[in-house]
Amino acid sequence: MKANNVPVVSICIPTFNGEAYIEECLNSALSQTYNNIELIISDDASNDNTLEIINVLKGNTEIPIHIFHHAPNGIGANWNNCIKNSNGQYIKFLFQDDVLAPDCVEKHVNVMRSESNIAMVYAKRHFIHVENSESILEFKKVYGNLHENWSNLKINEGVIEGKAYLKDRNFLNAPKNKIGEPTSVLIDKACFDKVGYFNEELKQALDCEFWSRLMPFYKIGFVDEHLSSFRLHAAQASAVNKSEKINETEVLYKMYYDTLLPYLHKECRLKLQKRFHPIISRLVKLKARFS
């Protein structure tokens, strides 16, 4: 597998106080059938046993594990620090709570190398949770099969132009992220040079904002299998953001208005213009005022 024509995949694991699940997470990375990998750990000053657990595993494997100590500055900064310290052609994120199927990287890479100009490949994922609480059941209902939430776009195994996603009339509709969490995705590292890194000002929507930034320029691949498992629990970042009532929809829509408007379905364009176009938005407000 380590032949010269087989690219290195950097499995990037941003960490902070992840002792509860980090061993299971790392073991899933170290068990990949695709063995031309390295692990990049960017740790946001953990004060539990996260680094001790990582170092024990590091001493028991020949797979390179590189640990970088990062001054906390938000989750986006930690994600980006992983990327900037990686050596691979491809980036495979794996969050400290999550796990990869053994053939996850191999199947992602196969699709990534099947055509030219592919920026990312994503797949379905399972959920890991202790109990079926009301909130978890609701989450699974809304965020389960993300790829089925488009209007006319039918996502099947294979590769399509990223612009097709932007052109769908459901692009702005919930769920906003119809690709998935970074653990679900493999990214060609070269695309960061073209479109930039994850937006460090965002706390919740930074992944789907980045996916959309790739879509005007690249193809997107999909694997119709569950290749990772996303853990649901009260301490994860998305749950914390929800409890703190962080809603970045308006900020996200403004970014789309500024950068993606020409690519969008006419209904999506009008929706954004009513919000942000200096003349159209004023007319909408006047109409609402006098109606």
Side-chain angles (χ1 to χ4, degrees):
M1 187 65 75
K2 295 189 177 182
N4 291 333
N5 64 340
V6 176
V8 175
V9 174
S10 298
I11 299 182
C12 292
I13 308 175
T15 58
F16 173 69
N17 287 353
E19 66 178 7
Y21 306 112
I22 192 65
E23 184 173 1
E24 182 182 2
C25 166
L26 290 177
N27 281 330
S28 78
L30 296 172
S31 300
Q32 290 299 299
T33 56
Y34 187 98
N35 57 20
N36 198 7
I37 62 173
E38 63 171 7
L39 272 58
I40 303 295
I41 313 289
S42 178
D43 184 73
D44 260 1
S46 291
N47 54 26
D48 64 356
N49 292 318
T50 298
L51 292 175
E52 288 84 347
I53 295 169
I54 294 171
N55 278 311
V56 169
L57 291 172
K58 181 178 179 180
N60 293 322
T61 180
E62 295 181 359
I63 294 173
I65 299 179
H66 307 291
I67 303 171
F68 299 92
H69 301 280
H70 181 251
N73 191 29
I75 62 172
N78 206 16
W79 296 8
N80 288 335
N81 192 53
C82 282
I83 300 163
K84 292 172 183 177
N85 284 291
S86 64
N87 303 295
Q89 182 176 340
Y90 301 133
I91 301 295
K92 181 73 189 82
F93 270 103
L94 172 58
F95 288 174
Q96 65 185 20
D97 302 335
D98 303 337
V99 296
L100 303 178
D103 55 354
C104 177
V105 172
E106 181 178 359
K107 289 185 173 178
H108 275 87
V109 171
N110 287 343
V111 174
M112 182 72 83
R113 303 187 77 194
S114 66
E115 296 186 22
S116 61
N117 201 42
I118 300 175
M120 68 175 177
V121 176
Y122 68 106
K124 296 185 290 188
R125 74 273 195 257
H126 291 295
F127 294 120
I128 306 172
H129 52 88
V130 175
E131 59 181 353
N132 277 319
S133 65
E134 185 176 339
S135 60
I136 284 178
L137 289 172
E138 179 63 22
F139 186 95
K140 290 168 68 175
K141 179 181 177 181
V142 176
Y143 300 104
N145 293 318
L146 292 170
H147 66 288
E148 296 178 355
N149 284 284
W150 301 98
S151 174
N152 298 318
L153 192 60
K154 304 302 179 186
I155 305 299
N156 299 307
E157 179 101 17
V159 180
I160 61 174
E161 291 289 342
K163 291 178 182 177
Y165 289 88
L166 298 176
K167 205 67 178 176
D168 191 273
R169 71 195 316 149
N170 278 359
F171 176 73
L172 296 178
N173 294 347
K176 299 294 186 295
N177 186 352
K178 300 178 185 65
I179 299 297
E181 305 79 21
T183 292
S184 307
V185 174
L186 180 77
I187 309 168
D188 188 331
K189 188 179 179 182
C191 71
F192 292 99
D193 294 330
K194 183 174 182 65
V195 304
Y197 290 80
F198 288 98
N199 188 320
E200 297 180 8
E201 300 300 315
L202 297 173
K203 294 183 178 181
Q204 180 75 19
L206 63 168
D207 47 5
C208 66
E209 188 276 329
F210 183 78
W211 311 152
S212 70
R213 230 187 301 154
L214 297 172
M215 289 172 178
F217 309 108
Y218 296 100
K219 299 174 187 175
I220 309 296
F222 176 68
V223 183
D224 194 12
E225 296 183 51
H226 295 84
L227 295 181
S228 63
S229 294
F230 178 64
R231 193 179 303 273
L232 302 176
H233 61 89
Q236 67 188 154
S238 56
V240 171
N241 289 338
K242 185 174 183 180
S243 69
E244 295 177 354
K245 294 183 169 53
I246 293 174
N247 186 338
E248 296 176 331
T249 297
E250 201 69 11
V251 174
L252 191 64
Y253 279 178
K254 182 59 166 66
M255 291 177 175
Y256 291 163
Y257 175 79
D258 290 338
T259 60
L260 298 177
L261 199 65
Y263 302 103
L264 301 181
H265 187 277
K266 61 182 181 181
E267 292 181 10
C268 296
R269 291 202 305 271
L270 182 58
K271 183 175 182 177
L272 295 180
Q273 287 169 333
K274 285 180 176 179
R275 268 179 158 89
F276 304 113
H277 190 282
I279 297 175
I280 297 175
S281 62
R282 191 177 306 162
L283 291 173
V284 169
K285 291 175 183 177
L286 285 172
K287 183 178 179 181
R289 181 180 177 183
F290 292 105
S291 60

